[in-house]
Amino acid sequence: MDAPRYDRPPISLIESDIHPYGISLYVGGMEGASDLDLLKASGISTVVNCAVNLDFNYVSEPLSPAEQPIDYGYGDIRYYKLGLIDGPGNPETMFVAGYYLLRGALDQVLPERHTYPRRERGNVLVNCRGGRSRSVALTALFLHLQLPDRYPRLEDALDRVREKRELRRDEWFETPKPMLVDSIRRAARWVRMIESDRKDTAPLQAAL
């Protein structure tokens, strides 16, 4: 069950000026992710939603007919979705996918076409329902892998996110849920294997 909203701010700045992107990374819950004025005031242009049981509609320029019950079109926010369960039931590889989804949101270079109107690079919010478990886990995994000099151990990154998210010490045992911590620990090993293999095969690929 999500803790009361007054225990934490709607969004929390976790890390500033992340190399090589130069952006800031935030973590928040559903209240923060749904507050468009707050997102814009924080320079957030991209939202990565980790919750399978929560969705947002950021569409501001609908392409759907007026009578269509669901809007689709261009939104004020670039929106990425990773549908995680806050507990058991996630496939083992989902956090690997989540790491590359988050990194891909930062690495993507959108084409100069009218069908890609939101090309600005701004800060990123990672959210789930309460901003205390799924989003904390994915953000810690990203910091550990992206900034290994600063966060050499996964626990270092977890503690950073917990502290900056203002999670109470008495809830750290479940923020994130223990099975999610186990999952990101395995995901970190798998990502290192993938990245090592990519480095080993790069010279061969360049020669083809």
Side-chain angles (χ1 to χ4, degrees), residues 69 185 190:
R185 188 169 286 113
W190 289 337

Side-chain angles (χ1 to χ4, degrees), residues 10-81:
I11 64 172
S12 304
L13 174 61
I14 306 301
E15 192 73 41
S16 300
D17 195 23
I18 294 177
H19 180 77
Y21 306 104
I23 60 94
S24 296
L25 189 60
Y26 290 78
V27 166
M30 56 187 174
E31 291 85 9
S34 61
D35 188 336
L36 197 57
D37 289 337
L38 176 61
L39 298 181
K40 290 182 176 181
S42 304
I44 293 169
S45 64
T46 300
V47 168
V48 177
N49 178 9
C50 297
V52 71
N53 53 343
L54 177 68
D55 280 299
F56 300 92
N57 183 356
Y58 294 114
V59 174
S60 56
E61 299 176 38
L63 299 174
S64 52
E67 67 274 10
Q68 187 78 15
I70 299 175
D71 282 336
Y72 58 86
Y74 308 125
D76 282 337
I77 294 292
R78 289 170 61 185
Y79 179 59
Y80 297 77
K81 178 69 182 271

Side-chain angles (χ1 to χ4, degrees), residues 1 7 9 26 80 82 105 119 139 159 161 189:
M1 183 175 180
D7 282 348
Y26 290 78
Y80 297 77
L82 175 71
R119 290 187 292 272
T139 302
D159 288 350
V161 182
R189 292 198 296 267

